[in-house]
Amino acid sequence: MYLSRFFASRLTSLRTTATRATSPSIARLSAIRAQLSPSPISPSSYQARAMSVPSTMKAVIVEKLGGPEVLEFKSDHPVPTPQEGQLLVKNNISGVNYIDTYFRTGLYPSAKPEILGREGAGTVAALGPGPNPYNFKVGDRVAWMTTGGYAEYTAVPAAKTVKIPDEITDEDAIAGFLSGLTVITLAKETYAVQKGDWVLLHAAAGGAGFLMTQVLKSLGAKVIGTAGGPEKVALVKSLGADVVIDYRSEEGKDWVKKVKEVTDGRGVDVVYDSVGKDTWEGSLEAVKRKGTIVWFGNASGPVPPLPLQKLSPKCVKVARPQLFGYIETREEFEFYVNELFGLLKSGQLKVKIHKVYPLEQVAQAHTDLEGRKTTGKLLLRP
């Protein structure tokens, strides 16, 4: 509004000056004055930094710890202002991840009130002030990773934002983004999976497990997956898993025994365990001598304090990684993102979207996720 009035006033002034400049000398003087006077901000220059953005937006706020009922939908939350090093993104899609429930319940501490959601895809609506080292432009279609995804707009760090290739939709990008980067780093850095390794993967039909099964098979691993129910078992088998154990079945209740049978009593080379409390002891039993256990989630609750003596008899190595430790630098982030997008574009890695929920139904999304009623990725449409 201000810029429109400014340009209109300026145009009127110029027309008046032109009308009065009836002699060549006056015309030349007017031209000189125009050159010496500061130029107004041009519309094209302004548009390079921002597009039209409302003052309020839809968002989901968490003000206190608790169950899904503490996810409070608001339609008049202030739109954030991007600071130096940030972009303002108008979200088209946001991801729901199990880690969001940890911040909601207080398992992972975080300041309240807060907006949950650690990834999203959309359009750059504004650039923060200062340098633009990654050459983002207003209108770019991007995927980002930070916090604040349960909202129409998010101010995101440019260093953790990337342009989405034309061949990949926003939905597929986020269905594979945080989860995909997680599983690739787990399989290549936490424990470097080799061809022929026996791998036990818990929750193999979940958002991360669905992708992890594919990544493990692409590396030549022999995969034993656990899942709950015939439908999930069939899904994991379709991804190429060598053995799938239904832990809800009578046979699957003693899944450690089944793992030992499959591996001729030796145990697996590595366990990837995102379940935590319900599986940690079994994971220790199922891993081979000199094997590795990777705990990377707490779907059933956190692993309790672990006596180190438990690792001694089989010389077991354990790891508790997090994705951001592997992508701290821009170079690391771009390396793994390029690998992920390459797999998605080639079709070597396929995503599965369980459901796209309207932002207003985020509490239902959390209920479904925690109730283990989902396969693949849950997304939100702001």
Side-chain angles (χ1 to χ4, degrees), residues 82-263:
Q83 304 302 309
E84 185 170 345
Q86 291 186 325
L87 311 169
L88 181 68
V89 176
K90 186 180 190 303
N91 296 316
N92 177 45
I93 207 79
S94 299
V96 178
N97 295 284
Y98 221 103
I99 194 172
D100 300 344
T101 69
Y102 303 158
F103 289 110
R104 191 201 74 221
T105 60
L107 179 62
Y108 289 177
S110 57
K112 301 292 185 290
E114 72 172 321
I115 299 175
L116 299 176
R118 300 177 72 82
E119 60 182 337
T123 304
V124 175
L127 309 180
N132 180 20
Y134 309 115
N135 298 315
F136 287 109
K137 301 185 299 296
V138 169
D140 281 345
R141 194 166 64 94
V142 297
W144 56 262
M145 192 177 294
T146 182
T147 57
Y150 294 5
E152 283 187 281
Y153 290 87
T154 308
V156 304
K160 288 293 181 284
T161 305
V162 292
K163 297 175 185 177
I164 302 174
D166 293 339
E167 303 93 325
I168 302 175
T169 66
D170 291 356
E171 291 78 6
D172 284 355
I174 298 307
F177 199 52
L178 188 148
S179 297
L181 294 176
T182 296
V183 303
I184 291 172
T185 55
L186 290 177
K188 295 200 171 184
E189 287 214 45
T190 309
Y191 174 89
V193 175
Q194 303 298 311
K195 184 176 181 180
D197 280 351
W198 274 109
V199 179
L200 173 60
L201 174 63
H202 289 298
F210 180 87
L211 300 175
M212 187 94 182
T213 302
Q214 298 176 70
V215 169
L216 292 171
K217 290 307 298 180
S218 74
L219 294 171
K222 293 179 286 188
V223 178
I224 303 172
T226 67
E231 182 181 349
K232 291 186 176 182
V233 167
L235 174 64
V236 179
K237 283 183 177 178
S238 74
L239 299 173
D242 298 85
V243 178
V244 186
I245 302 171
D246 182 355
Y247 62 80
R248 292 181 181 174
S249 70
E250 196 60 36
E251 181 188 29
K253 288 179 181 177
D254 192 355
W255 53 267
V256 173
K257 179 181 177 182
K258 181 66 175 178
V259 170
K260 291 290 187 68
E261 289 176 356
V262 170
T263 59

